[in-house]
Amino acid sequence: MSATTMPTSAPTAPAEFDALLRCLSPELRQPTTTITRIAAGMSGAGVYRVETPDGQFVLKTTAQDEPVGVWRSKVRMQQAVAEAGIAPKVFHADENRRAVVSELIVDRSFPNGG
């Protein structure tokens, strides 16, 4: 396992953690970076919370069998809506690993009954 920590709520296999770490841009791969699973889709895609001293991010991975053209279209759409201020900012996209790192938006829903 790398020098980066792996919390107990993160993927249990060190090899999986290392693979996810390689999806991040080099500046996010810090000794204190943690990666915690948020959700997983039926297609093999995964959503992870990434925490570093510099901030919190979301890592979304897509199944490797998704056609690269489809993946590129989705990333371009995500970048376009982010630039319009409608979606979280995209910080990094890794085509070979079909991974996108974006800004983590904390839910600030209105309280019920107010």
Side-chain angles (χ1 to χ4, degrees):
M1 189 166 89
S2 69
T4 306
T5 61
M6 183 175 69
T8 56
S9 58
T12 56
E16 182 181 5
F17 179 77
D18 287 341
L20 292 170
L21 196 62
R22 286 190 296 276
C23 293
L24 304 178
S25 58
E27 63 273 7
L28 295 182
R29 298 179 205 161
Q30 300 179 26
T32 57
T33 296
T34 60
I35 302 173
T36 308
R37 181 179 291 276
I38 296 173
M42 293 180 67
S43 66
V47 182
Y48 304 86
R49 181 184 186 121
V50 176
E51 296 185 56
T52 74
D54 298 326
Q56 298 178 19
F57 307 88
V58 172
L59 166 63
K60 293 181 184 178
T61 61
T62 302
Q64 289 294 307
D65 61 353
E66 179 174 71
V68 70
V70 172
W71 182 85
R72 285 180 187 148
S73 294
K74 289 179 182 179
V75 172
R76 281 194 301 268
M77 178 65 73
Q78 186 177 356
Q79 291 169 327
V81 295
E83 289 171 11
I86 300 169
K89 179 180 176 184
V90 175
F91 287 100
H92 178 71
D94 184 327
E95 182 176 300
N96 291 331
R97 293 183 175 89
R98 306 287 199 283
V100 177
V101 177
S102 61
E103 173 183 29
L104 174 68
I105 303 295
V106 178
D107 182 12
R108 295 187 180 147
S109 300
F110 291 105
N112 291 334

